[in-house]
Structures are given as structure tokens and as C-alpha cells.
Amino acid sequence: MVFLPPRPRLALFSALLSLVGPLLVAAAYDPKACNNSPDLCQVPYASITHLGTHNSPFLRDKSTSFSVSGNQYFNVTVQLDAGVRLLQGQLHASKDNKEPHLCHSSCVLMDGGTLGAWLAQIKTWMDGHPSEVVTLLIVNDDKVSPSILHKSFTSSKASDIVFTPESGLRVRNFPTLQKFINDNKRLIVFATNGGGDAAAPYILSEFEYIWETKWENKEESEMASPSCQIDRPSKYNGTDGMKKAESNGYVGLLNWFLYKQGGGSLNILTPYEEKISNTNGGLLAAGMKTCGEKWVDMAPPHTPTYVLVDFFNEGPAIAQIDKLNNITAPVNRITPPATPKKGDKNTNTNAVGKGLISDSPLDDLLRLMEVGYSPTWADWIWAAGKWGAQPDFEGLKDDFNRLKEYQESLEGEDGDGDDDDDDDDDDDN
């Protein structure tokens, strides 16, 4: 062992401190800040715009073979670290009546794991960040019962911190962030179906509290000149819909993500990754200005309570939302790493399933043929556009079983006579 003389040792320590000190200060958690800013602590919940991640559990990274079904590059922990405060995900019932899974349209296409595992991640993060208020939006197309949902909330201990509003309390009248924090009831939960039930009174029925703009945006021109009109619930469609929604205490959610459509008869809608920087950047800034001018019947400052985006770290969307909230010096944040690309080491651990729709159309077409799909010439032409290297056939046997299950589920849906109201129909959102 080498002993340094006192002065050189002290000099070395001082030099190291000068390098590491700023990092230690930056990493220290400031409990006096609320949702990344001390200026937001005394602001009512509904007067803040909460950045949300569309399909937050569904990743496009190495863990999903960079599936084009993925809407985010990073898991929920990274999302929350970066400043996201609304997490949205699609829920699907399990056939064996066990715990439901978070899946993108179908659990064969992309399985993001169980609801309980997702909630446990969120609860763990919130335990380490006691001055943060987080909102969940669960798209419950399968109408999983509130009692089953409650089991997942209980097993993950997320039920310990959920907020249950008093009867008749509207989101517009929710308390300040500081009140949520003081009471340690910092997790607010909405669901498209199953809310308002005594089995889980903290799960609020989304369309009894929130209106949304159109979610199926397939043209960039739609984003450049957004209508900003209420799409759901349909009872607030039309020119006077905003005024009616405001009078009933509703708050708004702006769906701000762009799709592109695949060729051939496969007709696949996928996130428009190539245009995401503009979608989450200049287009979002301009869209917020346009909608603010159109939402004259909305309570000042004429901004939505929630904005839902794909690939949140691009744009970056968080910078646009900070401007809306007048945050100039955010604290308690960790900047996400660089966007993952093929060849990178995977750093995400919450995606347990493999995406069916990959970035190789030929592979996907071959897999569909395994379960009896008859491709058209248009399908072959579309797939041929990205042939390149010899396709990787590894895993096709496993995919066969998964795709067979998917085909059977589609056949079952064809015979389903259930015709829901459009307010509950969140197909992809």
C-alpha cells in the first residue's frame, strides 16, 4: 500500500471533489420541488400540463428486436426520471383468468408484461421520489373487472398511494401537487373501462373526467393544422362541445402522435419514427399555439391537462411541456441516454415479450404464412422493399405457436357481436 503525504493527499482529494462534486449535487434529490419544480408545488393539478407517454410499456429496442410496434425507446423508470408524469398502456385479459398483461393491440404482437409488474416498477420509483405526482391511464379494451385490477394494485403495493377523490370532485377542482404529496396519495388512476366501481373506487372512468382529441393521425398535415376538436367522448363533439365539457368540469388530453401505414393488404399502422423529431418539436409547439387560440371556451391558460406522445425523448417533447408550465430550471431529472439503435447493448429490462411486427417485413410475412396467411402480390412487393440480408429464421417455431393463437383470437373476434359505444373504443390509443 502506498501512503501519500498529507498535503498531496489533500490536493488529490480536492481535485477529485472538483470533478465529482457537481455530479453529486446534480444527483441529490430536492424534496422541496414538486414534479421537477418548486414553482409547481402550490399549483392546482389541473392547471399543469402533464407530459404523457403513449403506450409507455411497449418498447422499440433490442429487447423487442426493435419492433415497429414499439412506441417508446425507454422503460417507465427512464420515462419518469426524465420528467414524464402520465403513463398510458393497453391492458388485455389473460385467457386463464390470471393477472392481465399490458399488450399492444394483441399479446402476440407485443407483450409488455403483467399489470402488477408495471405497477411495481412505478411504485418503486415513486418510493424513491416522494415529491412526485404521477397519473396512469389504463386502456381497458377487454373490460377486465375492477376486482382483478385491484389485485394487481394491491400486490404491487401501488394501492398504498392511490388517490380516491371525494364524490363529485372533478379533475378541474383537484388539489395542488403539494396536497397530494403531503397526504402521500400521489398516484392518480384513470381507465377507459372499469372505473367508478366500489371494488376499486380509486380507478376513475376516463370519459367521465377527460376529453380527448383525435388519436388516429395519419397525415403530417393533420398535425400542422390540427382541428383541436373533442373526439371522445362523442357527446362533446361539435362546435359547442368544448363549452359543454368545460361546464361539466372536464379536462383535456391532446393526442399528439403520428402514424404511417404499411403497404400491401397487411394494412399495418405503426408509429412514424422518421418524423418524430418534428412531431415532438416544431409541430408540437405550433400545434399547442393553434389549439390554444381555438380553445377559447377552455379555462385559462387554454392548455390541455395532458399531452400524450410517442418517443418522448425526441423533439424533445419535454422541453415543449416545460414552456407551457413556465419551468425554466427543472430539478430532480435524469436526461435519457442516446436513442438506442441496432447494435447497441440493451439497457431496458421491462419488456418481457418479443414484438411480432419487426423492422423486417419479409420476416413478418414469412411468419404470417406459417399460420396460413396467403400473401398478395402487393404484400410481396412491399416486403421486397427491405429484403437486403438473408432473413433470420431463428425463433420461427416459437412464433408459429404465438401466431396460431393470434389467428384464433381474430377468428373469435369475428364472431363477437359486442358493439360498444365509441367512447370506450380505444383501439390503438
Side-chain angles (χ1 to χ4, degrees):
M1 181 178 294
V2 178
F3 291 94
L4 295 174
R7 287 185 181 278
R9 187 188 305 171
L10 181 61
L12 178 60
F13 176 77
S14 299
L16 288 173
L17 185 62
S18 67
L19 294 173
V20 180
L23 297 178
L24 294 175
V25 173
Y29 184 78
D30 181 2
K32 295 181 180 179
C34 306
N35 283 25
N36 301 134
S37 174
D39 296 333
L40 294 181
C41 291
Q42 299 305 323
V43 179
Y45 172 90
S47 297
I48 300 167
T49 298
H50 305 258
L51 176 65
T53 41
H54 175 227
N55 286 329
S56 68
F58 310 134
L59 305 184
R60 184 178 299 201
D61 73 343
K62 187 177 179 180
S63 72
T64 62
S65 302
F66 290 90
S67 169
V68 295
S69 291
N71 297 83
Q72 305 297 332
Y73 294 123
F74 302 105
N75 63 33
V76 294
T77 299
V78 177
Q79 292 170 29
L80 292 166
D81 279 342
V84 170
R85 290 297 176 267
L86 168 67
L87 302 171
Q88 184 251 32
Q90 298 178 35
L91 192 69
H92 289 267
S94 61
K95 290 186 176 180
D96 53 6
N97 291 320
K98 292 183 179 179
E99 187 168 17
H101 278 233
L102 291 153
C103 301
H104 194 169
S105 300
S106 164
C107 290
V108 176
L109 289 176
M110 181 169 283
D111 188 341
T114 65
L115 174 61
W118 186 62
L119 292 173
Q121 276 190 298
I122 297 165
K123 175 62 163 56
T124 297
W125 185 89
M126 294 185 72
D127 286 346
H129 299 77
S131 297
E132 311 301 324
V133 178
V134 176
T135 304
L136 306 182
L137 175 53
I138 299 172
V139 179
N140 187 13
D141 284 347
D142 283 357
K143 299 182 180 178
V144 178
S145 72
S147 60
I148 292 179
L149 299 181
H150 181 61
K151 290 179 181 179
S152 296
F153 275 87
T154 302
S155 65
S156 64
K157 299 189 182 303
S159 58
D160 294 347
I161 57 171
V162 292
F163 171 69
T164 304
E166 297 177 1
S167 177
L169 183 66
R170 309 301 294 165
V171 177
R172 183 67 69 193
N173 302 119
F174 276 12
T176 63
L177 294 187
Q178 191 66 63
K179 174 63 173 171
F180 284 107
I181 292 164
N182 290 346
D183 295 344
N184 199 26
K185 299 298 181 183
R186 301 177 289 120
L187 186 61
I188 301 161
V189 185
F190 295 97
T192 56
N193 287 295
D197 191 279
Y202 54 86
I203 300 178
L204 311 179
S205 179
E206 181 196 4
F207 294 114
E208 291 298 320
Y209 292 88
I210 300 170
W211 56 259
E212 293 190 10
T213 59
K214 177 183 176 184
W215 62 269
E216 197 175 38
N217 303 304
K218 294 184 287 187
E219 299 293 338
E220 197 169 21
S221 58
E222 294 180 284
M223 314 292 279
S225 300
S227 71
C228 308
Q229 293 182 352
I230 296 176
D231 184 62
R232 293 173 297 176
S234 59
K235 62 184 177 182
Y236 293 128
N237 292 164
T239 55
D240 62 344
M242 182 68 70
K243 184 179 294 185
K244 292 179 179 178
E246 278 291 311
S247 66
N248 288 322
Y250 275 68
V251 295
L253 184 152
L254 179 69
N255 285 309
W256 199 262
F257 39 89
L258 183 63
Y259 290 102
K260 66 178 179 180
Q261 196 149 4
S265 59
L266 297 181
N267 204 31
I268 301 168
L269 280 179
T270 61
Y272 211 143
E273 183 183 27
E274 294 82 357
K275 295 186 178 291
I276 194 61
S277 293
N278 190 36
T279 302
N280 285 358
L283 277 181
L284 177 55
M288 293 302 306
K289 183 176 184 297
T290 298
C291 289
E293 294 170 351
K294 291 184 177 183
W295 290 335
V296 294
D297 293 319
M298 181 191 289
H302 310 293
T303 55
T305 302
Y306 313 103
V307 175
L308 206 57
V309 301
D310 284 338
F311 308 116
F312 78 93
N313 58 303
E314 296 291 331
I318 190 68
Q320 305 300 333
I321 304 305
D322 280 347
K323 290 178 183 178
L324 292 179
N325 291 325
N326 296 314
I327 296 177
T328 56
V331 298
N332 299 338
R333 280 190 188 162
I334 300 176
T335 302
T339 296
K341 303 294 182 183
K342 279 193 170 182
D344 293 346
K345 291 183 178 180
N346 179 47
T347 57
N348 296 301
T349 58
N350 70 326
V352 299
K354 177 181 178 183
L356 165 64
I357 306 301
S358 68
D359 61 356
S360 172
L362 179 57
D363 285 358
D364 293 328
L365 197 54
L366 291 170
R367 290 170 180 169
L368 289 168
M369 288 174 65
E370 287 274 0
V371 291
Y373 176 77
S374 299
T376 65
W377 278 110
D379 292 332
W380 283 116
I381 293 171
W382 171 64
K386 293 186 179 180
W387 269 5
Q390 178 70 20
D392 179 12
F393 291 94
E394 183 180 354
L396 283 180
K397 290 183 179 179
D398 291 338
D399 289 334
F400 174 84
N401 294 326
R402 296 168 64 239
L403 282 163
K404 192 68 176 176
E405 178 184 344
Y406 180 50
Q407 185 185 47
E408 290 171 353
S409 70
L410 291 179
E411 291 172 352
E413 290 174 6
D414 290 341
D416 188 355
D418 187 17
D419 185 16
D420 294 336
D421 185 86
D422 62 347
D423 297 349
D424 295 332
D425 184 7
D426 270 283
D427 290 337
D428 192 90
N429 185 25

